[in-house]
Amino acid sequence: MNVAFEYSVVIRTLGTSGEKYVRLIKSIENQTIRPKEVLIVLPYEFTLPHILRDDQRVIFTQKGMVNQRQVGIEEAVSQFLLIVDDDIAFEKNFVEELFKKMLSCDADAISPNGSIDTNKKLYGVSYWKYFLLGQRRYSRKISPYYLRVSRTGGTIVNIRMKEGDLHWCQTANFQCFFIKRNAAVNVHFENEKWLEDTGYALPDDQVFFYKLYLNGGKILFAPEIRYTHLDAKSGNIKSDKLYKDYYTAQRNYTIFWCRFLYAKAKTNNEKLLLSLCLLYRMFVQTMFFFAKCIIKGRFEFIPKWYKGYKDAFIFNKTYT
């Protein structure tokens, strides 16, 4: 590659992903264009049981998906950043291809393809479940965006896209992405630490990238540039799944809806339409949740479901 550039790698980790972390480090070391630095952002109470190279630096900070990523962004010195979780692997020309794509498309952030659910169509029961719950739907509407944020706070996948089309997005995947440092800093992700209040930062990726989009940032999904997600499941080691899935989802997605959809609406008609979409989502998801609690016999979670919505609206009244 003729164009010289420097980039920093930012790894958010708990130091618990073992061999998967080792594979990530090997992927970084084998790059055709080596990074200027590798920042390993680790919570104070955790240790990293691996030998560091000269270009690797451990940064200790408070534990949290938002905080650790933000600290890495602030500490990095390069103009470009590769921000990754600790359980992925990729080919030796991975960063080179990301940079080429960024230059050729004049993008601010590139989201490579990790073959996760967001990037493939659902079928059958799963399709209708996510559609009815307002979480994801597929559209043939002409749009420059491959992924859009819907009025319910979910995502819309553009299935008109063909191979060779530019897949612009309003949201993307947080496991791995390549971004201009200035664009990342200007998101001011440090203002979104409310995501960590529940112990699980869902939907941190949507908040980060949608703020980038609102700032005028250009986000591109690159389906042809692939990485492998090894899935260490280190983000939330001890958590009741029902509590995490339902309380966190209702609280955090509703806060997202209030802060970044309703608050950004410019007309009363748009606010009315957004409110109707939220009411629809709340009604359908409540019916689904009740059915699931009845089937599982977990009635103690019903008050926590309501508490998720209640806490969201209380938060939005007091947060600045």
Side-chain angles (χ1 to χ4, degrees):
M1 185 175 180
N2 295 326
V3 179
F5 74 101
E6 293 183 344
Y7 70 98
S8 301
V9 179
V10 177
I11 305 172
R12 182 199 67 83
T13 185
L14 300 181
T16 58
S17 57
E19 183 60 30
K20 299 176 178 66
Y21 173 82
V22 174
R23 286 186 61 183
L24 167 63
I25 294 298
K26 288 181 178 178
S27 294
I28 296 169
E29 292 175 347
N30 291 334
Q31 288 303 293
T32 54
I33 301 175
R34 292 288 299 273
K36 180 180 179 65
E37 59 179 355
V38 178
L39 305 182
I40 303 160
V41 188
L42 192 69
Y44 290 118
E45 63 269 29
F46 291 80
T47 59
L48 190 69
H50 301 286
I51 298 174
L52 297 178
R53 294 170 56 96
D54 290 341
D55 60 353
Q56 298 175 6
R57 177 161 60 100
V58 176
I59 302 170
F60 288 98
T61 187
Q62 296 294 332
K63 179 183 175 184
M65 292 185 179
V66 174
N67 183 62
Q68 286 178 252
R69 284 193 175 93
Q70 180 61 26
V71 168
I73 290 168
E74 292 173 352
E75 290 285 335
V77 299
S78 304
Q79 183 181 357
F80 302 96
L81 309 178
L82 177 66
I83 301 178
V84 297
D85 283 349
D86 61 359
D87 57 352
I88 68 168
F90 36 79
E91 297 297 323
K92 63 182 181 180
N93 64 338
F94 183 68
V95 173
E96 182 175 346
E97 291 302 314
L98 289 171
F99 185 68
K100 286 179 180 178
K101 194 74 173 180
M102 177 175 281
L103 285 184
S104 64
C105 300
D106 189 29
D108 296 296
I110 304 289
S111 174
N113 188 354
S115 298
I116 62 169
D117 286 345
T118 305
N119 303 327
K120 62 183 179 181
K121 186 174 180 179
L122 298 174
Y123 296 92
V125 174
S126 294
Y127 173 91
W128 288 106
K129 170 188 170 183
Y130 287 105
F131 174 78
L132 293 172
L133 292 175
Q135 295 175 342
R136 184 184 311 163
R137 66 181 176 88
Y138 297 86
S139 172
R140 292 188 175 275
K141 181 179 178 181
I142 296 176
S143 170
Y145 293 104
Y146 170 63
L147 286 179
R148 288 178 286 151
V149 173
S150 70
R151 290 187 177 93
T152 62
T155 55
I156 303 171
V157 183
N158 184 353
I159 58 176
R160 292 178 64 98
M161 289 289 183
K162 303 184 294 295
E163 185 176 350
D165 289 344
L166 294 180
H167 290 52
W168 297 108
C169 299
Q170 296 178 359
T171 183
N173 179 18
F174 234 8
Q175 287 172 359
C176 174
F177 61 100
F178 190 69
I179 188 169
K180 295 176 181 176
R181 183 182 181 276
N182 286 344
V185 169
N186 289 336
V187 168
H188 292 291
F189 204 38
E190 69 274 9
N191 295 334
E192 313 306 330
K193 290 184 180 178
W194 54 267
L195 285 160
E196 298 176 346
D197 291 346
T198 61
Y200 188 75
L202 181 80
D204 51 349
D205 48 2
Q206 185 162 305
V207 170
F208 181 91
F209 285 108
Y210 196 65
K211 285 190 72 175
L212 176 60
Y213 160 74
L214 292 176
N215 285 347
K218 299 166 66 176
I219 308 159
L220 186 70
F221 170 58
E224 74 279 13
I225 305 176
R226 304 181 67 87
Y227 67 91
T228 301
H229 181 211
L230 306 172
D231 197 10
K233 299 185 183 298
S234 61
N236 193 5
I237 300 171
K238 296 179 180 179
S239 174
D240 190 296
K241 192 173 188 304
L242 273 177
Y243 184 84
K244 177 192 73 175
D245 285 355
Y246 293 111
Y247 173 79
T248 300
Q250 303 327 307
R251 177 189 181 270
N252 289 1
Y253 271 103
T254 303
I255 292 173
F256 170 84
W257 180 92
C258 292
R259 281 173 54 76
F260 302 110
L261 297 178
Y262 187 83
K264 303 295 182 182
K266 296 180 180 179
T267 67
N268 289 333
N269 287 342
E270 178 64 13
K271 288 185 176 182
L272 175 60
L273 185 56
L274 282 165
S275 298
L276 291 174
C277 288
L278 178 66
L279 289 172
Y280 164 82
R281 191 193 78 185
M282 291 173 66
F283 174 78
V284 174
Q285 291 191 3
T286 297
M287 294 301 100
F288 177 82
F289 173 74
F290 279 8
K292 196 166 186 177
C293 282
I294 290 171
I295 292 171
K296 292 182 176 289
R298 300 297 300 271
F299 301 101
E300 72 273 19
F301 283 96
I302 292 177
K304 293 175 181 176
W305 170 268
Y306 285 111
K307 180 174 171 56
Y309 285 120
K310 179 182 177 182
D311 289 353
F313 289 112
I314 292 174
F315 176 87
N316 277 290
K317 288 181 179 180
T318 58
Y319 189 82
T320 57

